[in-house]
Amino acid sequence: MKYIVTAIRLLFLAIFLFLIANGNMMLWLALFVLSLVVTFFFGRVYCGYACPMNTVMNSTEWLSKKLKIQTNHTPKWLKSGIFAWIFLIVSVVAMLLSKKLLHTNLPILLIWLVVSMLITLRYRPAVFHNLICPFGVLQRVAGKFSVLKKSVDKTSCVGCKLCEKVCPTEAIAVQNEDRKAVINRKLCIQCTNCQQACPKGAIHYMK
Ligand code: SF4
Ligand code: SF4
């Protein structure tokens, strides 16, 4: 499963770079808008499979761990989550102003791609995914209502927390009360890491 997921991500990254190189950034933004509809049915598959930021962040996180520069700390000022909304508004306004005043498309996706890598060099991927990403903020709204989602079969779960350790968005957590894992649908980016790690096969994609 891991290799299939990686191949899909690399394919989307190649399509993204091709579109950017050919000045077709708006096409990718159109794909993103379409993905919000898909999210209502299938969960945040755009984030987990197509998003170029998520793909480069996976490598950046690996590098950060190798260099031992990753911290568990989350900047206090980010914790409320309001900044993701602010970054969304600033990005849209900057794009509109760039188009109107400079008659050019601001390379907003490339800018956020670089920001996501810089942030992930130092912080856990969840910091960018959950507290900064202006695209993720819309995906979270749609993801909250998704029809299909990852769920944990409580009878199979033994509370080992292996799934927690590999979740890039801290969407899955073992509850103190019953020692069973629960997935936050809004935060889950459908990456399948938890399914691959679970020794009991307790995590399923279902209604
Ligand atoms: S590890 Fe599991 S819970 Fe976390 S984002 Fe990936 S699929 Fe969702
Ligand atoms: S890895 Fe599987 S068994 Fe372990 S806590 Fe997570 S869902 Fe439960």
Side-chain angles (χ1 to χ4, degrees):
M1 193 193 290
K2 187 179 168 188
Y3 296 110
I4 295 172
V5 172
T6 305
I8 295 171
R9 284 177 183 154
L10 291 176
L11 178 67
F12 274 106
L13 182 63
I15 294 170
F16 170 78
L17 293 174
F18 176 80
L19 290 177
I20 294 292
N22 287 286
N24 281 326
M25 184 187 73
M26 297 313 282
L27 252 183
W28 189 272
L29 285 174
L31 174 83
F32 173 77
V33 173
L34 185 69
S35 79
L36 291 171
V37 180
V38 174
T39 299
F40 274 114
F41 295 97
F42 302 104
R44 295 174 60 184
V45 286
Y46 170 87
C47 298
Y49 293 86
C51 177
M53 288 183 272
N54 180 50
T55 302
V56 296
M57 281 165 67
N58 287 331
S59 315
T60 312
E61 192 203 6
W62 174 85
L63 182 66
S64 172
K65 281 181 172 165
K66 274 270 172 231
L67 297 174
K68 297 190 171 64
I69 54 175
Q70 190 183 65
T71 171
N72 269 333
H73 170 73
T74 302
K76 242 189 205 158
W77 61 275
L78 277 175
K79 282 184 180 168
S80 71
I82 189 74
F83 276 90
W85 286 100
I86 293 172
F87 293 141
L88 172 66
I89 294 165
V90 169
S91 299
V92 172
V93 170
M95 277 180 70
L96 292 174
L97 286 179
S98 169
K99 190 76 184 163
K100 194 162 176 57
L101 303 178
L102 305 172
H103 307 291
T104 182
N105 286 327
L106 186 73
I108 197 76
L109 289 165
L110 276 185
I111 292 170
W112 280 111
L113 191 73
V114 173
V115 172
S116 69
M117 288 168 75
L118 292 176
I119 299 282
T120 312
L121 265 181
R122 181 69 178 137
Y123 298 102
R124 305 176 325 281
V127 171
F128 185 81
H129 282 306
N130 301 347
L131 304 173
I132 296 176
C133 182
F135 305 97
V137 89
L138 295 175
Q139 289 285 342
R140 275 198 293 286
V141 173
K144 194 175 171 185
F145 304 100
S146 68
V147 178
L148 288 170
K149 59 188 185 296
K150 293 269 190 305
S151 285
V152 179
D153 171 8
K154 293 204 173 196
T155 52
S156 307
C157 176
V158 292
C160 64
K161 296 194 176 193
L162 289 175
C163 51
E164 268 189 29
K165 293 194 179 97
V166 295
C167 180
T169 58
E170 297 169 6
I172 188 163
V174 173
Q175 307 301 293
N176 288 332
E177 304 79 47
D178 59 0
R179 309 294 304 156
K180 304 288 179 188
V182 169
I183 296 176
N184 181 333
R185 184 172 11 172
K186 204 167 71 164
L187 299 183
C188 175
I189 61 169
Q190 305 297 334
C191 70
T192 73
N193 285 5
C194 55
Q195 282 175 298
Q196 293 171 47
C198 180
K200 298 292 174 187
I203 302 166
H204 305 283
Y205 182 51
M206 58 202 284
K207 255 190 168 184

